[in-house]
Amino acid sequence: MSGKLMAIVDALFLLSMLLPKRGIIYVAYGAWIAYLIYRIKNTPYKAVKIIDGGMIAFAVIMMAANLYFMFQ
């Protein structure tokens, strides 16, 4: 299941590169955040939870940066 979900996220990021300035990047980041939350809830390892939490923070920062530059 996890591999299929990540393949969907990868496809969304690829689509966002092929069709720039369409807002697909926000859907891709949102899907990645959802995937990371899914991983956090389904892993017993604390290190994975911490790393995934850091990646969620990174995704949120990247979404904010994209919004900032979109409205510049």
Side-chain angles (χ1 to χ4, degrees):
M1 175 84 173
S2 182
K4 291 180 183 179
L5 291 175
M6 196 59 209
I8 292 170
V9 171
D10 290 341
L12 286 170
F13 275 110
L14 178 63
L15 188 61
S16 73
M17 289 187 336
L18 295 174
L19 302 171
K21 298 184 182 182
R22 309 253 180 180
I24 298 170
I25 190 72
Y26 305 109
V27 175
Y29 276 121
W32 189 35
I33 290 169
Y35 170 75
L36 291 170
I37 291 171
Y38 167 80
R39 275 184 35 138
I40 287 172
K41 289 184 178 186
N42 291 314
T43 186
Y45 303 109
K46 188 169 181 136
V48 173
K49 291 180 181 185
I50 292 169
I51 292 169
D52 285 352
M55 287 193 286
I56 289 172
F58 173 75
V60 169
I61 290 168
M62 291 304 296
M63 285 178 79
N66 277 309
L67 279 171
Y68 174 77
F69 288 114
M70 185 174 84
F71 290 116
Q72 274 283 358

